[in-house]
Amino acid sequence: MIEFKNVELRYNDFVAMSDLNLTVNEGEFFTFLGPSGCGKTTTLRALVGFLKPYAGNIVVAGNDITDLPVEKREIGMVFQSYALFPTMNVYENIAFGLKVKKLSKKEIHEKVMAVASKIDLSEEQLYKNVASLSGGQQQRVALARAIVLEPKILCLDEPLSNLDAKLRVGLREELKRLQRTLNITTLYVTHDQEEALTLSDRIAVFNNGRIEQVGTPYEIYNKSASEFVCDFIGDINRITPRLIEKINEQTTGRRFKTDREAFVRIERIFGEVKQNYASIKGKVLDKEYNGLYTKYTYEVEGQKLKNIEKNDGLISHELNDMVDLFINPDDIMQF
Amino acid sequence: MKKLLVIALAFGLFLGGCAGGNGGTEDRSLIIYTNSASDGRGDWLTDLAEEAGFEIKVVHMGGGELTNRLIAEKNTQIADLVWGLNAVEYERLKKQDLLQKYEPTWAKEVDMVLGDPEGYYYPIVVQPLMMAYNLEVFANEEPPKDWTELGSKFAGRYQIHPLTGGTSRSVLASILVRYKDPNGELGISQEGWDVVKEYVQNAYFIQTNEDYWSRVIDGTRPMTMIWGSGLILNQNNLGQKFGIMQPEVGVPFVVEQLAIFKNSKKNALAIEFINWMGSAEIQAKFAQEFGTTPAHPDALAEAPQDIKDLMASVSPQDIDWKFVAENIDSWVEKVELEFRN
Amino acid sequence: MNDSKVFKYLRKIGVFGIVIRVFLAWFAIAFLIYPNVNLLVSLFYKNGEFSTEVFGKVLNSARAMRSLYNSFILAFTLIVTVNIVGILLVLFTEYFDLKGSKILRAGYMTTLIYGGIVLATGYKFVYGSNGLLTRGLVTIFPDLNQNWFVGYPAVVFIMTFALTSNHIIFLTNAVRGLDNQLIEAAQNMGESSWNIFRKIVMPILKPSIFAITILTFLTGLGALSAPLVVGGVDFQTINPMIVTFANIPYSREIAAFLAIILGIATMILLAIMSRIEKGGTYISIAKTKTRFVKQKIHSKPLNLLMHVAAYGTWLIYVVPIVLVVLFSFSDSRAILSGNLSLDSLTIANYQTLFVSRRAFRPYMVSVTYSIAASVLVALLAVFVSKIIHKNTGKFSKALEYSMLIPWLLPSTLIALGLLMAYDRPRALLGNNALLGTTYMLLMGYIIIKIPFSIRIIKSAFFSLEDSLEESAQCMGASAFYTLRRVIMPIILPTVLAVIVLNFNSLLSDYDLTVFLFHPLYEPLGIVIKAASEETASLNAVAMSFVYSVILMIISATALFLTQSDWANKRRKA
């Protein structure tokens, strides 16, 4: 559906994205994930047409759109700031693109009403000034305004970042549901790994002007392709060569290199006995009770390790307890 | 916004529709540029001319701008004749080859010392430029005799108008022409420049919207530069008679004139109009209506008594206006840049 | 640039974009560059060589040097004083919750409807040797020098209060746009009112204050009437000299040279300002702005002090204009002496205005010209601002700088340049001449109002959020459609303010008009000048007041139609 072919993006002399090759499939919910300044928004803007690639091509549905002006691309976009037109009311904001297309008044009305019901905007709200809406409602209007045009592609640039945590979770679910029902190819830019994991069919992790890894949320999380991805997503323990040696001693089969660090996710270190796992001893340095779980920090072989235990009443350590910890060598990632 | 745009477009049509209006066929319309149509004179003349069968459009602007504009319009002649100004400005127009030589029917009746010996412009209204003073203040004191001694003997006590105006420029010229010296700077001897420097530096320059007459009356600055009609108006208004400085050489006379343009297509009509306008009959009416001093002796005879008295008391200084016209701008520039404080 | 790049660029801006750019380029060349360059060349090149005589003339003139110095002193002083007073005015009317703020605002807005000689004379009625205040002071201090209101302090005083128009219009808009949550947040963090203002509000207002400061500096450099009326011998500025010399053909190169010196100073200031401006643009990050609520002053003595200060300032503004209106019913002698006796008031002055059947026409002509010119120049400024807003290329830079040219030259020289260039058919105008057509004056009016309009409207563009335009594009709108339907409505208040300010100042223009007007369409400025020429009439000064009062009525109407709450409500409805 969308193909970036050897795309290079520049701001003047600054290379924002180099040699980008990426394919997004039809109907996919695809997320660009990465820290700020990594090039994800730049890439999105290149797709929408705000930025001309310095080199390479962008192909949508088999057509090269590299030189197509923004207004001809029929890509819907929701901005981080929503960019609602302050001089128009909600209805006029949603109807804007339809008016551009010169649809009849009747058609416009029907479409606006249809989309309003889809995203839970009441008729009363439609005639309100956009400035008088709450953040969540503004966000809905911005979304409605984009999808009412039935674009082939929907781009969302950090659409939830201005909302409070609870609203964010709620809207996240709604967004996913909407995307499924509309079956619209969606590109989603975020720096929030949780958002990326919950929403996406596939994720591209951006770092420093290139893509580190493309994969399903499961692959990204469990089979991180690089140290960056591994570190950026989820909570991770860094394992020093000294501890690696210790683990190597206990495991048959797999041997880890001892000239660099290795990584293991904190939920993959267990406090109960596991067969065939490497076993190490740790001293409890700190515990953080969190209701659902407790996060422990141990000292192991001169370094710190963290794990979490469900608060199911089975395991509970006190400070300075010596504890046996178990790690599955298969959970250890080394790059 | 849309509404405003409509207005702007409507304006374009309005102008477009009207712009072609001054071509006309077999008309008796004339466009007259002048600097003396103010105070209702233009309207008065327009109405009177209409009765006489002329359809005139009087366009008024300040003296300096008028000449500048006429010169700028050299390639697109709009005015058919010019009324007012003074000899200096006419000499500039002449130099630009804008004027057409002609002779009105009343040319022989007026004193052509006031007009152009070469016959390009003819006088209609006379304005003597003077220094008026408070008679009470100078009751026990010798009043000034000439512009040349003001600076040395009456420092700070005389008021003069800014050199942007015609009055002050003409007075300046009347001083400088006495020191004509082909080898001197800008044609004037060093002595002349010294006199002018003293005159300018010791003068009080009247500022915009200042009540200079009240200072003459209360004696703080008992002398002021003034033109003929201004003196008469103020004497009547203030109910007080003022003394007039009487230089031996006479005082400069600024003379309003009439002239026609080479590039105008209506010279015949313009001359016909000038014959009518400059005639003793019309000039006398004009003098009675507006208190001007006609150049035409027959018209002057019918003017109000105080005008006649004034004219009897002053004599015109003989000034080579051509020489003045060639140099006045550079003189004023020198004075403005070097002498003024 | 290679061919394909040019082609891509052209495709990007579209047919309409190309047409607009070609038009603007032609306009800049035909009306801003060619006439003025042509004029300057003709002034400085004499007999085929560059004349340097003028440098010596000016540099050796003590008066010119002193006047130049005074102009700069004045301009820099005014930057400080006008900003202080202007910001205070906006605090009084918009920021603090004071009683009668509408009345205060109406009083402060009086500078929008009159100016120049009449305004300066109005101040003289209060502070001059015969003024109300002076006479009051003399009864208390009999030794007071009655001519105390003269020179630098007097000029600064008058101009400080006269130049706050831009604050009243543009800074007011900025304060009204403040996000109340910002201030509440700061209060919540325990900041004092003063600190909130200094640390939170001021930085947000900075872009507007910058734009206004530039205009203030320019007006200060170009000061004309205030020095003439109250400057006295000691404090004359350069612009009266420039105007004098511009009107003497022989001395025009001096006027041009002095104007260029001022122009260079202006350029340097503009460059510095825009550098600072770039660094500190504030972009609202608030997604849900709350309406700004006026701040209450809780301390009683402070509250009283504020009210006293606000109404004291109000009196400074209102007394001169009231006196001007009153004096317009008296004769010239009363105006010149400043002695007003109520029983001598008469409507005779007004009667003389309308006796002639030709009396109304100049109003029609001037109002039509002023509306047409101010609307067209606003439109032009919108398009130019749009181009220089988003593009940093050579074209937009060149466009921006050429549009500033009229700031550098006195209007007399601009008029002469136009006359010289278009007194005959020229290829640039499709073999048409402008002289002798009604369009000559219209072009002149548009040209002199370009820099101001662009400066203000450009600021409005830079305060727009980029994503507004982008989202419109995404929804398929062309650049022109976006400009028309999205951007214009947002910046409309600013555009209207520019239109009305231009309208008011063009209404009675003389300097430019006298050279360019069509003889059959005499504008008001020409008529006013004729009626108020001292050589013409004993009552000249009174007539200039009468015309000013009539202009005030027209200007006030224009302001009301665009700037009042009534107009705002109608527009929103």
Side-chain angles (χ1 to χ4, degrees):
Chain A
M1 177 71 182
I2 308 170
E3 287 168 89
F4 293 89
K5 291 181 174 168
N6 306 101
V7 170
E8 180 170 330
L9 302 172
R10 290 190 181 195
Y11 291 115
N12 299 322
D13 285 339
F14 173 73
V15 180
M17 205 65 209
S18 57
D19 197 29
L20 170 70
N21 284 288
L22 183 68
T23 304
V24 178
N25 302 319
E26 182 141 18
E28 205 169 21
F29 197 115
F30 196 96
T31 299
F32 293 175
L33 176 66
S36 54
C38 65
K40 57 188 189 302
T41 298
T42 308
T43 307
L44 190 76
R45 291 172 63 82
L47 171 67
V48 179
F50 297 135
L51 184 72
K52 283 269 178 309
Y54 183 79
N57 298 84
I58 302 173
V59 178
V60 170
N63 305 313
D64 189 333
I65 61 158
T66 316
D67 286 325
L68 205 62
V70 181
E71 55 269 27
K72 302 258 165 65
R73 296 196 181 189
E74 298 182 11
I75 296 176
M77 174 140 181
V78 174
F79 290 79
Q80 186 173 12
S81 64
Y82 313 145
L84 299 179
F85 304 141
T87 53
M88 304 178 193
N89 65 25
V90 173
Y91 185 99
E92 289 164 334
N93 262 283
I94 299 176
F96 182 87
L98 301 170
K99 274 195 192 147
V100 172
K101 280 190 172 169
K102 299 211 169 79
L103 296 189
S104 72
K105 273 211 166 125
K106 190 165 156 272
E107 269 177 293
I108 291 177
H109 187 75
E110 281 166 4
K111 282 183 189 264
V112 172
M113 287 311 180
V115 80
S117 77
K118 236 179 251 168
I119 59 157
D120 291 336
L121 279 173
S122 69
E123 190 159 349
E124 182 200 356
Q125 281 168 333
L126 279 180
Y127 298 100
K128 274 191 178 169
N129 187 321
V130 285
S132 66
L133 300 182
S134 72
Q137 287 165 332
Q138 289 190 353
Q139 161 61 241
R140 283 163 199 272
V141 177
L143 191 61
R145 200 173 63 168
I147 60 178
V148 76
L149 295 171
E150 294 158 25
K152 291 179 283 186
I153 299 165
L154 180 63
C155 293
L156 302 139
D157 184 9
E158 305 259 11
L160 305 178
S161 63
N162 286 311
L163 302 173
D164 62 70
K166 196 145 189 196
L167 198 58
R168 210 181 305 185
V169 174
L171 269 170
R172 201 161 76 191
E173 284 159 7
E174 225 172 296
L175 204 55
K176 183 77 187 158
R177 178 180 57 78
L178 203 63
Q179 193 262 339
R180 289 237 171 85
T181 45
L182 296 174
N183 193 28
I184 181 170
T185 310
T186 302
L187 283 178
Y188 190 94
V189 166
T190 183
H191 65 274
D192 184 326
Q193 41 129 341
E194 192 182 319
E195 250 171 58
L197 294 173
T198 47
L199 281 168
S200 317
D201 294 325
R202 281 198 302 153
I203 298 172
V205 182
F206 283 64
N207 179 34
N208 218 353
R210 50 192 188 83
I211 291 182
E212 295 268 344
Q213 186 177 5
V214 179
T216 62
Y218 183 88
E219 288 166 345
I220 296 283
Y221 191 86
N222 295 303
K223 300 204 168 72
S224 299
S226 69
E227 183 180 330
F228 175 82
V229 175
C230 173
D231 197 24
F232 188 75
I233 302 206
D235 267 344
I236 199 89
N237 283 308
R238 285 175 175 270
I239 305 175
T240 55
R242 186 168 140 201
L243 186 55
I244 294 172
E245 274 176 35
K246 198 92 183 155
I247 293 167
N248 276 343
E249 282 166 22
Q250 297 183 41
T251 50
T252 49
R254 228 180 132 183
R255 299 229 151 243
F256 297 98
K257 297 183 192 109
T258 53
D259 58 346
R260 64 191 74 171
E261 292 179 320
F263 303 87
V264 65
R265 303 219 169 265
I266 62 169
E267 72 275 15
R268 293 303 175 97
I269 294 182
F270 298 92
E272 71 234 57
V273 180
K274 299 271 183 186
Q275 289 302 312
N276 300 329
Y277 281 26
S279 157
I280 47 180
K281 271 208 179 324
K283 188 172 99 180
V284 179
L285 282 183
D286 189 23
K287 64 187 277 190
E288 245 176 60
Y289 179 74
N290 219 329
L292 198 60
Y293 57 82
T294 304
K295 193 187 237 176
Y296 292 96
T297 307
Y298 310 95
E299 195 199 321
V300 181
E301 296 292 326
Q303 75 158 99
K304 282 179 185 167
L305 279 188
K306 288 180 181 171
N307 90 331
I308 52 171
E309 299 290 350
K310 240 198 299 181
N311 287 327
D312 51 7
L314 294 179
I315 295 178
S316 175
H317 308 302
E318 295 307 321
L319 290 187
N320 294 324
D321 283 357
M322 289 304 289
V323 181
D324 284 320
L325 296 168
F326 300 89
I327 304 174
N328 183 353
D330 289 346
D331 287 339
I332 293 176
M333 295 175 273
Q334 198 174 37
F335 309 101
Chain B
M1 199 66 225
K2 265 185 197 157
K3 269 182 224 152
L4 291 173
L5 197 63
V6 169
I7 293 171
L9 289 176
F11 170 80
L13 294 176
F14 161 76
L15 287 182
C18 303
N22 61 338
T25 53
E26 263 298 295
D27 61 347
R28 290 182 59 80
S29 70
L30 288 168
I31 292 181
I32 304 176
Y33 278 16
T34 181
N35 63 336
S36 39
S38 51
D39 218 12
R41 295 177 202 187
D43 286 346
W44 182 85
L45 186 70
T46 310
D47 292 340
L48 204 63
E50 203 174 307
E51 289 168 26
F54 298 101
E55 193 191 315
I56 62 167
K57 168 73 193 169
V58 176
V59 182
H60 177 102
M61 52 196 117
E65 290 101 352
L66 178 53
T67 318
N68 287 340
R69 188 168 161 148
L70 281 169
I71 292 170
E73 287 178 353
K74 192 178 177 182
N75 294 307
T76 315
Q77 188 65 43
I78 297 172
D80 297 309
L81 63 121
V82 57
W83 154 37
L85 295 178
N86 58 46
V88 173
E89 305 293 332
Y90 280 107
E91 286 300 326
R92 274 174 63 197
L93 295 179
K94 212 155 98 180
K95 208 173 161 199
Q96 294 283 333
D97 199 20
L98 285 170
L99 299 182
Q100 170 70 44
K101 209 181 244 185
Y102 75 110
E103 190 173 358
T105 46
W106 41 266
K108 302 243 161 29
E109 297 158 26
V110 295
D111 181 1
M112 274 310 286
V113 170
L114 300 171
D116 179 20
E118 294 179 62
Y120 283 93
Y121 48 89
Y122 294 86
I124 50 164
V125 168
V126 174
Q127 196 78 275
L129 307 180
M130 300 159 296
M131 183 57 83
Y133 56 85
N134 184 331
L135 285 168
E136 282 167 36
V137 172
F138 287 97
N140 311 315
E141 194 187 337
E142 181 102 353
K145 283 204 193 61
D146 202 343
W147 303 98
T148 49
E149 64 169 29
L150 285 170
S152 53
K153 295 190 185 160
F154 299 92
R157 299 176 68 197
Y158 58 99
Q159 312 181 60
I160 68 174
H161 287 278
L163 286 164
T164 39
T167 305
S168 205
R169 289 162 71 102
S170 298
V171 171
L172 179 76
S174 82
I175 302 173
L176 283 169
V177 288
R178 306 180 201 183
Y179 303 94
K180 190 169 173 181
D181 174 359
N183 302 317
E185 187 185 357
L186 304 173
I188 301 300
S189 69
Q190 190 52 45
E191 192 196 348
W193 286 122
D194 291 341
V195 168
V196 161
K197 185 174 181 180
E198 212 171 21
Y199 160 76
V200 167
Q201 293 192 333
N202 290 314
Y204 178 83
F205 278 86
I206 295 164
Q207 289 168 29
T208 315
N209 283 8
E210 252 190 325
D211 186 9
Y212 53 98
W213 282 106
S214 73
R215 283 196 299 254
V216 175
I217 293 169
D218 70 20
T220 44
R221 301 188 200 276
M223 290 169 263
T224 187
M225 179 189 283
I226 191 67
W227 51 93
S229 62
L231 179 72
I232 287 168
L233 277 171
N234 277 289
Q235 276 187 351
N236 294 339
N237 194 254
L238 298 166
Q240 187 172 344
K241 216 166 151 41
F242 297 97
I244 299 164
M245 187 174 75
Q246 306 269 14
E248 261 175 52
V249 293
V251 297
F253 272 44
V254 176
V255 186
E256 293 184 11
Q257 317 263 0
L258 286 167
I260 59 175
F261 293 98
K262 222 174 211 168
N263 292 335
S264 160
K265 294 192 179 72
K266 295 180 174 171
N267 278 343
L269 186 68
I271 293 171
E272 192 186 325
F273 176 78
I274 287 174
N275 288 341
W276 171 81
M277 182 182 168
S279 67
E281 185 202 344
I282 302 300
Q283 283 306 304
K285 274 190 188 169
F286 208 84
Q288 283 151 11
E289 189 76 27
F290 298 105
T292 53
T293 311
H296 200 294
D298 299 352
L300 181 62
E302 288 177 46
Q305 190 54 43
D306 48 359
I307 295 177
K308 283 191 255 181
D309 289 349
L310 175 71
M311 292 312 289
S313 69
V314 292
S315 59
Q317 181 185 351
D318 187 14
I319 293 172
D320 179 355
W321 287 115
K322 199 164 178 178
F323 174 61
V324 172
E326 278 162 13
N327 292 290
I328 185 71
D329 285 347
S330 57
W331 293 340
V332 169
E333 184 183 288
K334 182 176 165 71
V335 171
E336 286 278 349
L337 282 175
E338 294 172 24
F339 295 166
R340 282 200 63 183
N341 305 302
Chain C
M1 252 202 235
N2 58 40
D3 283 353
S4 78
K5 237 180 164 178
V6 173
F7 181 70
K8 270 185 190 169
Y9 176 73
L10 292 180
R11 245 182 78 165
K12 188 184 136 206
I13 60 180
V15 176
F16 189 77
I18 295 170
V19 171
I20 280 286
R21 278 166 176 79
V22 169
F23 171 79
L24 290 176
W26 165 79
F27 183 90
I29 292 168
F31 294 108
L32 300 171
I33 298 169
Y34 171 65
N36 293 319
V37 170
N38 191 25
L39 177 81
L40 290 180
V41 167
S42 79
L43 288 180
F44 290 112
Y45 272 83
K46 293 213 168 130
N47 309 323
E49 55 186 287
F50 187 71
S51 154
T52 52
E53 212 187 337
V54 59
F55 301 105
K57 275 187 190 170
V58 170
L59 296 176
N60 285 328
S61 163
R63 179 177 170 225
M65 288 295 114
R66 206 175 44 245
S67 300
L68 259 181
Y69 174 77
N70 285 343
S71 287
F72 279 100
I73 292 290
L74 182 62
F76 281 109
T77 313
L78 287 175
I79 285 185
V80 177
T81 57
V82 173
N83 267 325
I84 291 174
V85 173
I87 291 171
L88 274 177
L89 296 189
V90 178
L91 288 185
F92 292 152
T93 54
E94 302 295 328
Y95 188 76
F96 290 118
D97 190 11
L98 299 187
K99 293 218 162 53
S101 66
K102 277 193 183 157
I103 297 169
L104 286 176
R105 185 166 153 81
Y108 299 155
M109 282 177 89
T110 50
T111 53
L112 291 164
I113 59 171
Y114 80 134
I117 295 283
V118 170
L119 180 138
T121 311
Y123 275 79
K124 242 186 144 181
F125 290 148
V126 186
Y127 311 96
S129 56
N130 251 329
L132 281 183
L133 186 75
T134 308
R135 273 190 264 177
L137 287 175
V138 166
T139 56
I140 307 169
F141 313 103
D143 294 338
L144 184 90
N145 173 12
Q146 295 204 7
N147 276 319
W148 64 284
F149 194 69
V150 72
Y152 168 75
V155 173
V156 169
F157 184 83
I158 290 185
M159 291 194 74
T160 297
F161 290 100
L163 296 188
T164 49
S165 309
N166 291 321
H167 285 85
I168 281 291
I169 294 248
F170 300 111
L171 204 59
T172 294
N173 285 343
V175 169
R176 286 184 182 168
L178 282 176
D179 181 4
N180 209 44
Q181 286 174 355
L182 267 180
I183 288 150
E184 284 170 350
Q187 281 171 334
N188 191 261
M189 288 184 269
E191 276 291 19
S192 69
S193 301
W194 164 242
N195 273 339
I196 292 177
F197 176 71
R198 198 168 54 93
K199 292 187 193 157
I200 316 276
V201 178
M202 277 302 278
I204 297 173
L205 301 181
K206 220 166 73 182
S208 316
I209 292 176
F210 266 144
I212 295 168
T213 301
I214 290 170
L215 297 174
T216 306
F217 184 82
L218 284 170
T219 325
L221 275 188
L224 189 65
S225 354
L228 279 179
V229 176
V230 298
V233 189
D234 297 330
F235 200 77
Q236 285 306 317
T237 51
I238 199 68
N239 208 28
M241 258 178 114
I242 294 182
V243 172
T244 303
F245 287 134
N247 272 313
I248 306 175
Y250 176 83
S251 308
R252 265 178 206 149
E253 83 241 37
I254 295 183
F257 180 66
L258 290 171
I260 288 171
I261 294 179
L262 289 192
I264 292 170
T266 309
M267 282 303 219
I268 293 171
L269 180 86
L270 283 179
I272 295 172
M273 283 299 207
S274 49
R275 177 149 305 174
I276 303 175
E277 201 176 8
K278 248 174 218 146
T281 316
Y282 162 87
I283 293 162
S284 167
I285 46 165
K287 296 311 159 228
T288 47
K289 270 191 189 176
T290 49
R291 245 183 86 95
F292 178 71
V293 179
K294 286 186 182 178
Q295 302 294 295
K296 279 214 167 16
I297 307 168
H298 295 294
S299 146
K300 272 233 166 97
L302 202 62
N303 193 17
L304 186 71
L305 189 76
M306 277 291 182
H307 276 87
V308 170
Y311 281 96
T313 319
W314 185 79
L315 280 178
I316 295 180
Y317 278 89
V318 171
V319 174
I321 195 170
V322 168
L323 289 176
V324 165
V325 173
L326 278 179
F327 272 99
S328 74
F329 290 96
S330 67
D331 61 18
S332 286
R333 180 129 319 270
I335 295 175
L336 288 172
S337 64
N339 287 314
L340 184 72
S341 63
L342 289 172
D343 48 283
S344 72
L345 298 187
T346 158
I347 58 161
N349 297 337
Y350 286 86
Q351 281 171 336
T352 56
L353 264 195
F354 296 109
V355 280
S356 161
R357 60 194 156 97
R358 304 176 187 91
F360 283 98
R361 204 175 138 88
Y363 292 91
M364 265 273 298
V365 171
S366 273
V367 167
T368 329
Y369 263 118
S370 305
I371 290 183
S374 36
V375 169
L376 291 175
V377 77
L379 277 180
L380 183 84
V382 167
F383 282 116
V384 173
S385 302
K386 164 89 179 111
I387 289 174
I388 56 188
H389 174 214
K390 272 301 175 56
N391 302 294
T392 49
K394 282 187 194 122
F395 176 78
S396 73
K397 272 271 169 297
L399 190 66
E400 183 172 5
Y401 283 115
S402 55
M403 292 287 166
L404 294 179
I405 291 175
W407 249 348
L408 309 181
L409 293 172
S411 51
T412 308
L413 289 188
I414 291 174
L416 290 171
L418 269 179
L419 279 176
M420 221 165 95
Y422 298 116
D423 64 344
R424 64 200 81 180
R426 296 273 187 197
L428 262 175
L429 299 185
N431 266 331
N432 286 306
L434 268 186
L435 185 59
T437 74
T438 46
Y439 297 104
M440 190 66 156
L441 185 60
L442 184 65
M443 288 323 298
Y445 280 175
I446 291 176
I447 290 168
I448 53 167
K449 287 299 165 195
I450 285 176
F452 168 79
S453 311
I454 289 187
R455 190 62 193 77
I456 298 294
I457 291 177
K458 192 182 98 176
S459 299
F461 266 89
F462 277 90
S463 65
L464 280 178
E465 207 186 325
D466 285 348
S467 52
L468 287 176
E469 233 173 303
E470 290 175 353
S471 66
Q473 257 182 306
C474 270
M475 288 183 269
S478 67
F480 182 58
Y481 189 91
T482 311
L483 182 65
R484 205 157 52 86
R485 300 298 304 276
V486 177
I487 299 175
M488 269 310 274
I490 298 176
I491 62 169
L492 191 63
T494 309
V495 174
L496 278 176
V498 167
I499 289 178
V500 75
L501 288 180
N502 286 341
F503 172 83
N504 284 358
S505 81
L506 287 176
L507 213 45
S508 60
D509 177 87
Y510 177 78
D511 289 351
L512 182 92
T513 310
V514 69
F515 289 102
L516 304 181
F517 78 97
H518 188 281
L520 299 178
Y521 299 91
E522 237 171 336
L524 211 44
I526 304 300
V527 177
I528 294 177
K529 178 81 170 189
S532 55
E533 250 172 48
E534 221 172 335
T535 47
S537 144
L538 195 64
N539 221 20
V541 185
M543 290 319 287
S544 72
F545 274 61
V546 168
Y547 272 108
S548 292
V549 170
I550 288 171
L551 287 174
M552 281 179 205
I553 295 169
I554 302 177
S555 301
T557 313
L559 269 176
F560 181 79
L561 290 177
T562 56
Q563 299 295 308
S564 64
D565 292 344
W566 172 83
N568 286 334
K569 267 183 209 128
R570 272 207 49 185
R571 212 166 39 235
K572 280 197 181 119

